[in-house]
Amino acid sequence: SEDKLYKRCVVNNAVYDYMKRCGESDMDISLPPSDLRIWIFHNLRSSSAVMLHHGAVVDSELFRKFLGDFAPLVKFLLPDITLGLKDDDTYADIYSSTCHELAHASHFAKAGRAYWEEYICYILESFVKTGGMTYGDGIGNRAGYCEVGEMWGYYLESKMYKDRYGGGFPTFGNSFWFRPQIFRYLDERGMTCSDIFSVLDEDVDDRSDLQNALIKSFPAKTTVIGQAFDRY
């Protein structure tokens, strides 16, 4: 149908823009893995970067509860990214949702599969236990993976949106228990997207580790880093 074709075209454009901007002359961050599988679900609201095609192993029962009737299809297709676009009708909505999941795919390329399995398990468990709260309440052994990952995802989504549409940083993710505002604060005070991404390694799996890694990598920015974490 026209609507489905339109959404596929917007996703295609967003992926093209994102991939082009990952290079050294622009954002200078890792590309998502090659042969990336993206599936659009027009009757779902939730999106994910499960990275199944690239080896992430996810508890099948949790996945079934997360995706409902679509779970067997997803298990067969092994997507890396699923885009639930039921409520995304405008170009800007679809564009930003796609960029958010691509940001996660870049993080996966840097942090690795073991990190990702902990991250995705927290997301799915939280969704099931809370009856639909994707990110839970920030409590639990794996919550730090979500904290770091979603700070990055919402920050980069906001940055891509701002660069495309102008104005100040959008407030995507500001209402959750994690704080993407920290990265926006650092960005507005001279730290680059590449600087922030450079510390998102496999051993940075909570807020404290993140702050320490940033200070270790950018000691000249210790004061502004401290200000950002203290403020949010």
Side-chain angles (χ1 to χ4, degrees), residues 3 6-7 10 42 85-94:
D3 180 65
Y6 170 73
K7 289 183 176 180
V10 178
H42 297 276
L85 301 182
K86 185 173 183 178
D87 294 333
D88 289 356
D89 297 316
T90 69
Y91 194 111
D93 289 341
I94 301 166

Side-chain angles (χ1 to χ4, degrees), residues 10 13 15 42 78 94-95 119 124 177-178 186 191 199-200:
V10 178
N13 290 350
V15 174
H42 297 276
L78 292 179
I94 301 166
Y95 184 90
Y119 182 7
L124 297 181
W177 55 267
F178 45 81
L186 295 175
M191 291 193 73
V199 306
L200 301 184

Side-chain angles (χ1 to χ4, degrees), residues 122-198:
Y122 173 83
I123 293 286
L124 297 181
E125 285 176 354
S126 296
F127 184 88
V128 171
K129 288 178 180 178
T130 61
M133 285 177 58
T134 306
Y135 306 121
D137 53 12
I139 299 173
N141 293 333
R142 299 181 174 119
Y145 292 91
C146 176
E147 183 171 32
V148 175
E150 293 305 328
M151 282 173 64
W152 168 253
Y154 279 107
Y155 157 69
L156 198 59
E157 174 188 0
S158 297
K159 185 174 181 65
M160 294 284 293
Y161 189 100
K162 172 180 174 291
D163 291 349
R164 180 178 179 86
Y165 294 104
F169 264 111
T171 59
F172 300 141
N174 282 14
S175 61
F176 296 111
W177 55 267
F178 45 81
R179 293 290 177 260
Q181 299 98 307
I182 290 173
F183 288 163
R184 294 172 197 153
Y185 185 95
L186 295 175
D187 183 294
E188 290 170 342
R189 284 154 183 80
M191 291 193 73
T192 68
C193 189
S194 180
D195 291 340
I196 295 169
F197 184 76
S198 70

Side-chain angles (χ1 to χ4, degrees), residues 47-52 55-60 62-63 66-67 79-82 101 104-105 108 112-128 134-135 142-143 145-146 149-150:
S47 298
S48 66
V50 287
M51 306 308 295
L52 297 179
V57 178
V58 178
D59 183 286
S60 58
L62 286 174
F63 207 55
F66 181 68
L67 286 173
D80 294 307
I81 289 173
T82 65
E101 301 307 330
H104 288 320
F108 169 86
R113 189 176 70 183
Y115 186 103
W116 217 250
E117 288 171 357
E118 297 290 333
Y119 182 7
I120 294 301
C121 279
Y122 173 83
I123 293 286
L124 297 181
E125 285 176 354
S126 296
F127 184 88
V128 171
T134 306
Y135 306 121
R142 299 181 174 119
Y145 292 91
C146 176
E150 293 305 328

